[in-house]
């Protein structure tokens, strides 16, 4: 294979050539994710719009702490859509786990009437390109209108189909 750029000497592991011109000073990335998950058994824990808004704001703070800023969080009483930029140092599964764990604890503590609150065990995460941010943002912002004619389960199935993800229906819902 041919690797243009720095030449590594096998004997000393040193770099030859003009290192300043050929080195990359930092690691950069922009990975945009659309993450979807529901409440346990799709129970409408978040039916109160004010409570839902507080939960979404808290989740945005969790994402920020994980260096994965939320661009938009939306959803309805039984599910959440999270559009975020994944940190180059954060694993997607860890981001979702921490977001669900911390928000669940906060909901139980701050929103006393939701003491039996729980998120579903699983989630869906879908990569999007920069050119899709506006479209996905509109989609997330229009959840109420969208769900007048489509259930969460049907919406989720559409995402799985669009992204060509094979799944076993018996393991998707909890």
């Amino acid at each position: 294979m041919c690797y243009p750029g720095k030449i590594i000497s096998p004997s000393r592991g040193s770099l030859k050539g003009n290192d300043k011109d050929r080195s990359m000073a930092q690691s950069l990335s922009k990975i945009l994710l659309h993450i979807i998950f529901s409440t346990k058994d799709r129970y409408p824990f978040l039916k109160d719009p004010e409570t839902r808004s507080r939960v979404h704001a808290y989740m945005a703070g969790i994402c920020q702490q994980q260096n994965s800023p939320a661009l938009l969080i939306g959803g309805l009483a039984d599910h959440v859509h999270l559009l975020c930029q994944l940190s180059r140092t954060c694993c997607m599964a860890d981001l979702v786990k921490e977001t669900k764990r911390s928000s669940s604890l906060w909901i139980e503590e701050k929103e006393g009437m939701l003491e039996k609150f729980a998120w579903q065990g699983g989630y869906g995460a879908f990569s999007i390109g920069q050119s899709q941010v506006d479209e996905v943002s509109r989609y997330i912002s229009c959840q109420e209108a969208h769900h007048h004619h489509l259930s969460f389960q049907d919406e989720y199935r559409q995402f799985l189909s669009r992204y060509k993800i094979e799944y076993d229906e018996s393991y998707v819902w909890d």
Side-chain angles (χ1 to χ4, degrees):
M1 290 188 160
C2 179
Y3 297 100
K6 297 179 182 178
I7 300 170
I8 299 176
S9 168
S11 61
R12 296 183 314 185
S14 63
L15 299 175
K16 293 185 176 182
N18 187 346
D19 293 342
K20 185 175 181 180
D21 292 339
R22 297 180 187 179
S23 65
M24 183 166 35
Q26 53 187 217
S27 299
L28 304 169
S29 72
K30 187 156 192 181
I31 300 170
L32 299 168
L33 295 176
H34 180 186
I35 301 168
I36 305 169
F37 52 89
S38 76
T39 57
K40 180 83 170 158
D41 297 321
R42 283 145 324 280
Y43 187 83
F45 285 111
L46 304 175
K47 62 185 168 196
D48 175 53
E50 191 175 310
T51 299
R52 187 166 55 240
S53 179
R54 287 194 308 268
V55 170
H56 293 170
Y58 189 79
M59 292 172 85
I62 296 166
C63 291
Q64 189 65 41
Q65 287 177 344
Q66 299 296 311
N67 295 316
S68 297
L71 305 177
L72 183 63
I73 301 177
L76 293 179
D78 65 347
H79 71 283
V80 168
H81 290 261
L82 168 59
L83 176 59
C84 69
Q85 180 178 330
L86 185 65
S87 166
R88 68 176 182 77
T89 61
C90 183
C91 165
M92 175 187 63
D94 290 344
L95 173 65
V96 175
K97 179 181 177 181
E98 183 60 22
T99 301
K100 289 167 72 174
R101 185 192 71 78
S102 291
S103 64
S104 186
L105 291 171
W106 182 81
I107 290 167
E108 290 175 7
E109 179 184 310
K110 298 291 183 191
E111 306 295 331
M113 70 274 196
L114 300 179
E115 54 192 48
K116 294 183 181 181
F117 180 87
W119 295 112
Q120 76 173 109
Y123 63 91
F126 309 95
S127 61
I128 69 162
Q130 183 65 44
S131 63
Q132 296 171 292
V133 169
D134 289 342
E135 177 186 348
V136 173
S137 295
R138 276 191 302 278
Y139 182 85
I140 292 171
S141 296
C142 295
Q143 282 291 292
E144 268 191 62
H146 182 69
H147 283 287
H148 279 308
H149 63 277
L150 189 68
S151 71
F152 168 72
Q153 291 95 323
D154 288 338
E155 173 189 48
Y156 194 70
R157 286 182 192 107
Q158 284 180 356
F159 273 97
L160 296 173
S161 176
R162 183 179 309 141
Y163 281 84
K164 300 184 184 331
I165 297 174
E166 294 182 23
Y167 63 97
D168 182 338
E169 185 85 22
S170 60
Y171 294 104
V172 174
W173 315 114
D174 69 344

